[in-house]
Amino acid sequence: MTDETTSPEEDRPVILLVEDEALTIMDLGDVLESGGYDTVQCASAERALSILQARPDICGLVTDVELSGRTNGFDLANSVAEARPQLPIVIVSGRAAPDPERMPAGARFIARPCSGEDILDQLRRLLPC
């Protein structure tokens, strides 16, 4: 895992992973990193937005809908889509439904229960990097 100040190893694509459940983010981070990506991880939409501003090398976003902080994953995805329209976005939730009114164009929704491999497969389909 990289953080906001370190650079990725060996030019691996960097994914921003936003999830407030510690075990879930660790497991998914491991799957993505085993799949060839570096991850930058955080638990809130507010933090994710500041990381995206500081890290132009991030080439994909995976976010849960329910996050710590005031902003949920749908709102985060829409803010990211406005700021970086070409950035692939995967939204994951076990409780929320994929609401077309709240999904940014081009974003994908994955319902839990799902595996980290399901998320990795969807990310690979979306990513140009």
Side-chain angles (χ1 to χ4, degrees):
M1 177 180 86
T2 60
D3 65 30
E4 296 87 56
T5 57
T6 61
S7 54
E9 59 182 81
E10 305 166 22
D11 293 328
R12 288 162 41 119
V14 181
I15 304 302
L16 178 56
L17 181 54
V18 189
E19 166 66 65
D20 63 352
E21 291 288 328
L23 287 175
T24 303
I25 199 168
M26 287 174 19
D27 289 345
L28 184 52
D30 288 347
V31 169
L32 295 178
E33 290 175 14
S34 294
Y37 300 99
D38 275 338
T39 63
V40 177
Q41 302 173 4
C42 66
S44 74
E46 293 81 7
R47 185 81 191 112
L49 290 170
S50 68
I51 291 170
L52 270 172
Q53 286 179 335
R55 295 286 305 264
D57 60 326
I58 289 174
C59 65
L61 168 69
V62 176
T63 183
D64 190 19
V65 171
E66 295 181 12
L67 301 169
S68 60
R70 292 184 302 260
T71 307
N72 70 34
F74 286 122
D75 294 336
L76 169 61
N78 281 294
S79 294
V80 169
E82 279 183 34
R84 297 194 33 199
Q86 304 306 315
L87 193 78
I89 299 170
V90 177
I91 301 170
V92 185
S93 181
R95 295 188 188 101
D99 181 347
E101 299 291 314
R102 299 173 74 192
M103 294 279 291
R108 298 290 187 271
F109 184 91
I110 299 178
R112 285 196 171 112
C114 64
S115 71
E117 295 295 331
D118 295 333
I119 296 169
L120 179 61
D121 289 345
Q122 187 64 251
L123 204 51
R124 283 186 172 144
R125 287 191 203 116
L126 291 173
L127 281 176
C129 59

